[in-house]
Amino acid sequence: MRRSRGLTAALVLSLAGAGTGIGLVLMPQASAITAPVAFTADELPTWQPDGIVWAMAQAEGTVFAGGTFSAVRPPEGVAGAEQEAVNFVALDAATGKPTSCKLAFTIGDGSATVRTLVVSKDKKTLYAGGYFGAVNGTPVSSVAAIDIASCTPKAAFHPGFPATVRGLAVTDDTLYAAGDFTNVEGQTRERFAAVDATSGALKPFKANADEPGRAVEVTPDGKSVLLGGDFFTVNNANSHALAVVDAESGAVKKTYTNIPSNSVVKDISTDDTGFYTGNEGSGGGVFDGRIGLRLSDFTEKWRDRCLGATQFVLPYEGVLYSSSHAHNCSTELEFPDGKRHFLLAQPTDHEGAAPAPVDGFVRGPGKLGWHPTANDGLGEGIGPRVMAVAEKNDVKYMWVGGEFTLINGKAQQALTRFASTGDVGAPTTPVASASSVKPGEVQVRWRTSYDADDSKLTYRIYRNGSATPAATVTASSLEWERPQASWNDTTAKAGQTYSYRVTATDAAGNTSALSATTKVTVPTSVQGYPNQVRTDGAELYWRYDDVVSPYVADSSVSGNRSGIQVNAPALKQSPGAVPGSNAMGFNGTSQKVHSDRRQTVGNTFTIETWFKTNTTRGGKLIGFGNNTTRNSGSHDRHIYMTNAGRLVFGVYNGSVRTVSTGLFETYNDNKWHHVVGTQGPGGITLYVDGQNKGTLNATSNGTYAGYWHAGGDNLSGWPTRPTSNYFAGQLDETAVYPTALTQAQVKNHFDLAKAPTDTVSTVKTTEDTYINQGAPSTAYGTSTSLAVRGSGSLYETYLRFNLPAAPAGQVLKSASLQFKTTTQTGAGTVDTVSVVPVTGTWTGAGTTFKTKPALGTTPLGTVAGVPDGSALHNVPLDTAAVTAVLGSSYSLGLTSNGSDPLWLWASESTAAEGTPQLVLTFGAQ
């Protein structure tokens, strides 16, 4: 037995101002996976049977697998011939290859199978149970003892078990068995029995059960035996599926009556942290998960009620590994009903105080970041069925057997393994975005990445193409919980444009690719509507300015409640409800967005969104429910539209309570409308376009954990239910608050959306070139790069722009020139570069050093030195000077007085983001 090592503290966000460059992340192999998980999720090459593995054991670096199969073959893509293996194979733990030990488990009539394997404490004897009549021709009766050193059955050991044996446990002198039998050696032993571990002689132990036994385990002190199975009584005592009996006599010591009658115990494992059961069942109210129990008094310490037929549990170094096809962990506040998760890991005990009981049970410890994938596979389609940990050459291996035919998406049947070292899987590439609603601050955010064996990842944010990160953020994530992480760039200057990219790195140093570049221009004044939403405390704020699927950014201050698009709603719908913003379009049949984090919502909240539609089929605009991609079973806190275009807001507090707009107040007129629903001590209130449309004294709502939805979810049982659960139209500026907004706040939001806001125009060059004194007759109009140098061989760069006029009622508030240095060594300069007007005429094709145009003498802007590295740079320009030439074709020159050249990308470069451009910000005077 191994002691449980201490669990890590709760993972939190942290950030540092600077970090190492890309590709220079070096971390010790000892921290290659997130503790306390002990194994990577990277599958290793392993020989595979042609059937099902039901049983596994290990000794001294050899793994024994039993089941129902006839041969084993090399892993996919590995050369080698198939070998005969009759229901048994011994494999090298470190290589995954069969050893020289060959055993055939056969029976004269019917199909033989090996259902359980266990190794003696001295590692010299392997015991096998199942349904078979001979091992390598030596007669046995469903239980056999194998000498491990010689790989031969012990002929003298042949207790008579006339039916299938499904579980074995061994002490120094006793072998305990569980199964379908009702007698052993002709004596009554119903479903459980004990024989001498050496001779096979039947022992006095009696623990008679009325239904099959499936699991048996001995407590570490050897004084008690744990029984699991289908039974309802043991020695006539009522105890369903689980019982504890005396190791000598079989007398009942502890009974259990709180496992549902339609559930059974499939496996029991123990170490010095407690004992653990794996359970499966069928029908309503089924219990399919795991129970953790104390060894001191055999009482329950926690119960994990995930649904998905748990087949095996294995406590190892403080972590309980389990095989199942878990598909619904809603009771554990984890993933809702949906995708199957076949291999899970969780601490054997809660870190700190256990949570308060729910429905009489303490929830199980939360799942850890270990997510190898499998599939249902053969037979009953259960997936993985059994697990074992073996060690060889100081490396530990988690072996898994079962019915699966895929592991991590690759063909692999019935057997696979994972090592304690050699983590090679990189995190997924982050999807980043950025926004700015006021001068001096940019919010850079991304959906946290997924790594199959690391739940704590390090993110590096690179600004303007720099090779050195501007910030480092650490955040935690699981496969089913990938909250948004964010970082605020407080050094961003008003009127300038910035680009950002993000990478994710695991503890072994495996680093994702850089995210796609995201750009943002910092406004010169506060953007009224989004800033007020943030100021009023929105904890979720979806602005729908996203440009890729399926991630929806959260623009709230906390920035950790991103959304996931379902069935690809239409992006970049313009114009949005707020000037300068985009909206998202929904088809009214299948598209929606759900939040990425499960949460509970109290009796005080606000939901808010803008919408535009002409639908006559209604649909949900925003609401709360307990599922994500599937229809929610529990759902309320809805705002939805009826077929006639009326709006309804309501909660469920034992009955449905709603308020709605008037009979003739309809809003499916294809115009933008603002709708808000609040609940607080004063009840629920519906607001439309800043006006109170009704209040109802309903101060409570449904109590369950769930997700926010926009664009669709279940509306079953709600009044004036529309034809469609899904909304056909556009949504914008969806927000959720943990407070009830006042009428004044709601009206202020509505008014701010109509207020003028700054607009940003990005103007790329229509022509660019440079001149070179060293080649006085050469024109560089088609060059992919441009150059600037003042002394030595003179270089000057010329850029032409078609400038827009100021929008009606607005003035130019700021202007800047943006360019990107090339990737060549020394592209930066230590000298000051000036931006000046071009007063003479020029063309890209015809301008050379000999024909260069005249330049103005007063700089519009300067940049004092540009560092090496292909990065974006902004040069603020004289606003008044640029204002005077708006609406015209205008040329700028780049000059320098020094000898250190600056090299930058031209418009002809394939590095499109490096094309020289002007960034113009217009706003109210």
Side-chain angles (χ1 to χ4, degrees), residues 15-92:
L15 65 89
T20 58
I22 300 174
L24 301 179
V25 183
L26 300 177
M27 300 187 182
Q29 184 63 33
S31 63
I33 42 187
T34 303
V37 170
F39 306 95
T40 79
D42 303 316
E43 80 287 350
L44 297 174
T46 307
W47 280 59
Q48 48 195 316
D50 61 354
I52 298 170
V53 169
W54 297 96
M56 219 181 256
Q58 65 83 31
E60 309 299 343
T62 298
V63 173
F64 308 105
T68 309
F69 49 87
S70 61
V72 291
R73 63 187 185 277
E76 293 288 325
V78 175
E82 184 176 271
Q83 299 181 15
E84 184 179 61
V86 183
N87 301 315
F88 176 88
V89 64
L91 306 107
D92 184 283

Side-chain angles (χ1 to χ4, degrees), residues 364-389:
K367 307 302 183 297
L368 300 170
W370 187 66
H371 313 292
T373 62
N375 69 336
D376 294 341
L378 309 172
E380 297 176 34
I382 293 292
R385 282 191 176 272
V386 65
M387 312 171 86
V389 174

Side-chain angles (χ1 to χ4, degrees), residues 21 115 202 279 291 347 361 364 534 565 579 615 778 799 841 872 887 906:
R115 291 299 179 118
L202 186 65
N279 306 265
I291 305 176
F361 300 107
R534 289 161 55 92
Q565 303 162 31
T615 184
T778 302
L799 311 170
T841 59
L872 289 169

Side-chain angles (χ1 to χ4, degrees), residues 248-281:
E248 291 291 331
S249 67
V252 176
K253 299 174 71 172
K254 176 73 174 177
T255 60
Y256 298 87
T257 57
N258 62 355
I259 296 176
S261 60
N262 57 355
S263 299
V264 302
V265 169
K266 294 296 294 287
D267 184 52
I268 304 174
S269 293
T270 185
D271 68 359
D272 57 3
T273 67
F275 73 98
Y276 306 90
T277 70
N279 306 265
E280 78 165 14

Side-chain angles (χ1 to χ4, degrees), residues 139-178:
V140 292
S141 183
S142 292
V143 171
I146 312 298
D147 179 71
I148 292 176
S150 63
C151 188
T152 57
K154 296 182 177 182
F157 184 93
H158 51 78
F161 284 82
T164 302
V165 172
R166 300 182 180 276
L168 292 174
V170 66
T171 65
D172 291 334
D173 57 6
T174 304
L175 180 70
Y176 296 91

